Amino acid sequence: MEIYWILLICLAAVVLFILVFFAIVSVLIQKTRFGVRSDGNPALRYFQAKDFENLQAEDISFVSDKGQTLRGCIYSDMRVKEPKGLVIWVHGFGAGHNAYTTEIAYLAAQGYLVLGYDNTGCVLSDGKGVGGLIQGAIDASYAVRCVQNEPRLKQYKRVLVGHSWGAYSAMNIFSFGEHVDGVVAMCGFDTAQGVVTDMSRRYFGGFSGLIRFYSKILHRLRFGRLASVSSRKSLLKSDVPVLLLYGEDDKVVPFRTNGRKIIRAVRDKKNIRAITYPDKGHSVYLTIKAEKYIKEVFAKLASSKKMPSEEFERYRSSIDYALLTEEDAAVMGEIRDFLENIFC
């Protein structure tokens, strides 16, 4: 009988330890990933409007939910006299909207004004930290409000185009009650808690379910009712054209637990079209060659602490930015045609 109680106490102690350990891990993930700013990789160069022959940029700013100022630019192609409409570019996690200046320049050249802005805690915008993935969706809703109140911009139809975190934010616009005329979402995830679980699964395996549990609690404490925002549920509310683009070989936002689930959930929605690419990864809008090169560059930069400074600088100067940003003409053509059907 004594052995039974000893074993029971030991088991309870182990369970308690596991629960406390993963609670601490979840808080640390929140603080280290979202409690800090996301200003890009200082070892990389991010293109500006001046790097493109016909691209021009005009500064713009607006206020988000807690009074923080978000900053960005209205981009246009100087050859375009009468814009067809407005694209609101919603960036992914890492380096703000200038990580996508090549895509912005492409859309501007197609005849659109493009509003590119940085989320809370990112690059040009205010904030001591990102706050959480749901903050991106909140910021996107305030970007749409900005457009609705901007005399120069409110006359145009507007479409949200987002990648990764930005795709999640764009898909969830339908849960915020703001009007848009369409959405393009590339490699977006379903829920904030879900993608945190996906990221932790590679380190904690089956225990990632506990990360999800605590992540739900932390998101609820920070964002209240918005913590339950889901791309699947939001898209089911949509009644405007939506284009979903996914790489089935995505290792960042796994297709199996995100894209596939979302596409299945909305398969009966006539306004939603989904395209998947079996051999593509997370940067679905880039060529496969560019995606492979991105992995090589980031792996090299991650090991830069082991390099002598001179070797590191030589490597930095050797980075092929034309290859790093090489767009997939077919994928960008799908986006172009989708926009043409809305604006023309």
Side-chain angles (χ1 to χ4, degrees):
M1 193 67 176
E2 289 182 2
I3 295 177
Y4 169 80
W5 282 108
I6 291 172
L7 290 174
L8 190 62
I9 291 170
C10 289
L11 178 61
V14 170
V15 171
L16 181 61
F17 172 79
I18 291 172
L19 291 174
V20 172
F21 174 77
F22 281 100
I24 293 171
V25 168
S26 299
V27 171
L28 289 175
I29 290 174
Q30 181 68 29
K31 286 187 175 182
T32 57
R33 294 293 291 173
F34 310 123
V36 297
R37 290 186 58 83
S38 182
D39 293 326
N41 190 323
L44 291 174
R45 172 191 171 201
Y46 298 97
F47 290 147
Q48 310 290 319
K50 63 184 179 182
D51 296 309
F52 297 85
E53 185 177 357
N54 298 300
L55 190 64
Q56 51 192 3
E58 177 185 335
D59 291 345
I60 189 171
S61 64
F62 56 93
V63 174
S64 193
D65 61 322
K66 292 182 172 61
Q68 70 274 31
T69 299
L70 307 186
R71 299 178 182 87
C73 294
I74 300 292
Y75 295 90
S76 60
D77 190 299
M78 61 182 64
R79 297 168 297 183
V80 176
K81 303 304 179 185
E82 294 293 333
K84 299 174 183 176
L86 175 69
V87 170
I88 303 174
W89 188 276
V90 195
H91 68 79
F93 201 88
H97 78 278
N98 280 138
Y100 303 91
T101 312
T102 303
E103 289 66 52
I104 289 172
Y106 173 89
L107 294 174
Q110 301 304 310
Y112 303 104
L113 295 175
V114 183
L115 166 58
Y117 67 93
D118 295 333
N119 284 338
T120 298
C122 299
V123 193
L124 299 175
S125 295
D126 291 351
K128 292 182 179 179
V130 172
L133 296 173
I134 295 170
Q135 187 63 49
I138 295 170
D139 289 344
S141 71
Y142 276 84
V144 175
R145 293 185 193 183
C146 165
V147 168
Q148 291 169 339
N149 295 318
E150 179 68 36
R152 176 190 170 192
L153 302 178
K154 67 180 182 182
Q155 62 180 302
Y156 297 111
K157 287 184 177 180
R158 62 193 75 107
V159 172
L160 291 178
V161 179
H163 170 244
S164 189
W165 182 25
Y168 162 81
S169 300
M171 288 187 285
N172 281 294
I173 196 68
F174 303 110
S175 289
F176 284 82
E178 307 298 341
H179 173 72
V180 296
D181 297 285
V183 164
V184 178
M186 296 175 278
C187 306
F189 47 89
D190 183 27
T191 66
Q193 302 92 326
V195 78
V196 170
T197 305
D198 287 333
M199 290 187 294
S200 63
R201 187 173 287 117
R202 70 191 70 169
Y203 303 108
F204 300 111
F207 287 108
S208 60
L210 283 174
I211 300 290
R212 185 184 184 94
F213 171 74
Y214 288 120
S215 180
K216 282 184 176 182
I217 294 174
L218 292 171
H219 278 84
R220 176 67 66 176
L221 290 172
R222 183 173 184 87
F223 295 106
R225 63 178 183 80
L226 292 177
S228 61
V229 162
S230 156
S231 298
R232 285 181 294 167
K233 294 177 182 178
S234 295
L235 286 174
L236 289 172
K237 302 174 186 177
S238 68
D239 59 1
V240 298
V242 175
L243 176 62
L244 305 178
L245 301 169
Y246 281 95
E248 294 183 30
D249 195 34
D250 192 336
K251 300 294 193 300
V252 179
V253 176
F255 178 71
R256 182 180 62 83
T257 53
N258 292 279
R260 181 178 293 163
K261 287 171 62 176
I262 291 170
I263 292 169
R264 284 178 177 173
V266 301
R267 62 182 177 273
D268 295 327
K269 294 281 291 182
K270 303 301 182 186
N271 62 305
I272 300 178
R273 180 182 178 219
I275 305 174
T276 65
Y277 300 88
D279 299 323
K280 281 186 166 291
H282 191 57
S283 299
V284 71
Y285 53 91
L286 297 179
T287 63
I288 292 175
K289 189 177 178 182
E291 286 200 285
K292 182 179 179 181
Y293 186 56
I294 286 174
K295 292 178 183 177
E296 293 175 2
V297 169
F298 275 90
K300 192 76 171 180
L301 293 178
S303 63
S304 63
K305 291 182 179 179
K306 301 176 182 178
M307 291 185 200
S309 58
E310 290 183 2
E311 181 184 346
F312 176 63
E313 288 304 323
R314 280 198 301 271
Y315 179 74
R316 279 187 63 189
S317 63
S318 73
I319 294 174
D320 184 349
Y321 283 92
L323 177 55
L324 201 67
T325 60
E326 186 177 73
E327 294 175 330
D328 187 312
V331 176
M332 295 305 293
E334 291 286 355
I335 297 173
R336 177 199 62 219
D337 293 345
F338 176 81
L339 295 176
E340 286 287 333
N341 287 333
I342 292 175
F343 290 109
C344 300

